[in-house]
Amino acid sequence: MKKFFLAPSILSADFARLGKDTKKVIDAGGDWIHFDVMDNHYVPNLTMGPMILKSLRDYNITVPIDVHLMVKPVDNLIPQFAKAGANFITFHPEATDHVDRTLNLIKENGCKAGLAFNPSTSLNFLDYVMHKLDLILLMSVNPGFSSQSFLPSTFNKLREVSKKIELNSSNILLEVDGGVKLDNIAEIAFSGANVFVIGSALFGHTNYDIIIKKIREELKYVNSRFIH
């Protein structure tokens, strides 16, 4: 069976009680926490820094934390987020002059490395660095804000990246972020994704358990089709 991971995006959580809300979504069945970092420069929004990540670790949040850096320049923040408790650090190729060097920096700081692609970003960057990646993140919206609709063009990119991963015989995870919800997660999974960032579609409800249970049922159906 294919292993799927749910990564609730705390950008959509209640910031007045972030620790409690994060723990609540983990207890409901979230596998990772997706941590969106925006600088009001690379993307038009300003969000969270390393101190908030450290505060979640201090609150005894122990699941993997997937830090998505939407910042430019990016290198000086990598050691700070690694020290604060990140497990995965993902960045955009446009945010650095040397993609290869930035990937090395993430590894040197003890984290798994990911490369993120905006809807209009070419996948050609992958041709040079696949061997250094643990994760590929496809943005299915233009980054900056939550509650956007999933862009259908992402399905073709998912299938393309999934083939690249298969041809390289690698264990790279394929993550999708933006507009993921109950009524499209099965099609996203069929297209090759195995990590799903879920924001407002989850945090917009009061009962996280029910939503995550329904999502798991959709993914169970996907696995049943793969088996047969």
Side-chain angles (χ1 to χ4, degrees):
M1 293 181 67
K2 194 170 183 179
K3 179 69 174 175
F4 296 117
F5 300 93
L6 300 183
S9 171
I10 56 171
L11 183 62
S12 298
D14 183 350
F15 272 58
R17 52 189 190 98
L18 186 58
K20 289 182 179 179
D21 216 15
T22 301
K23 189 174 188 307
K24 182 180 175 183
V25 80
I26 294 166
D27 291 343
D31 299 303
W32 301 358
I33 290 300
H34 189 78
F35 194 98
D36 285 310
V37 183
M38 306 181 192
D39 63 357
N40 197 35
H41 173 67
Y42 180 71
V43 291
N45 200 355
L46 185 65
T47 59
M48 305 172 282
M51 288 185 294
I52 293 178
L53 176 52
K54 184 178 184 303
S55 73
L56 290 176
R57 289 305 193 196
D58 291 343
Y59 195 77
N60 202 31
I61 300 300
T62 59
V63 300
I65 295 182
D66 168 30
V67 174
H68 177 195
L69 295 178
M70 289 169 274
V71 302
K72 186 177 182 179
V74 68
D75 286 2
N76 65 326
L77 284 175
I78 288 169
Q80 297 180 51
F81 276 101
K83 185 177 180 181
N87 299 96
F88 291 83
I89 296 180
T90 302
F91 67 98
H92 291 255
E94 302 94 336
T96 178
D97 292 327
H98 302 281
V99 173
D100 188 76
R101 188 179 299 165
T102 301
L103 290 170
N104 288 341
L105 182 61
I106 293 170
K107 301 276 192 176
E108 288 165 6
N109 279 273
C111 295
K112 294 184 177 181
L115 199 59
F117 292 84
N118 289 332
S120 61
T121 302
S122 171
L123 296 174
N124 290 342
F125 289 99
L126 291 175
D127 295 341
Y128 307 96
V129 296
M130 287 283 285
H131 62 292
K132 292 193 173 184
L133 295 176
D134 300 291
L135 180 147
I136 297 168
L137 169 58
L138 295 187
M139 293 301 298
S140 40
V141 298
N142 288 300
F145 300 94
S146 60
S147 304
Q148 297 186 67
S149 296
F150 185 93
L151 293 172
S153 58
T154 311
F155 289 119
N156 285 334
K157 290 185 80 172
L158 277 168
R159 287 187 282 267
E160 185 176 349
V161 174
S162 183
K163 286 180 182 177
K164 286 179 180 288
I165 292 172
E166 188 176 343
L167 287 171
N168 279 270
S169 302
S170 69
N171 294 316
I172 299 172
L173 294 166
L174 180 49
E175 183 175 29
V176 176
D177 183 1
V180 178
K181 50 189 178 181
L182 187 61
D183 65 4
N184 64 10
I185 197 165
E187 187 175 0
I188 294 169
F190 276 125
S191 298
N194 47 23
V195 182
F196 309 90
V197 177
I198 306 175
S200 55
L202 175 58
F203 286 101
H205 297 268
T206 55
N207 193 321
Y208 303 155
D209 299 80
I210 291 175
I211 301 301
I212 288 180
K213 182 180 179 182
K214 289 180 178 179
I215 289 169
R216 294 286 186 197
E217 288 171 355
E218 289 290 309
L219 295 176
K220 185 177 179 181
Y221 165 74
V222 172
N223 259 330
S224 71
R225 292 290 300 274
F226 278 134
I227 291 170
H228 294 99

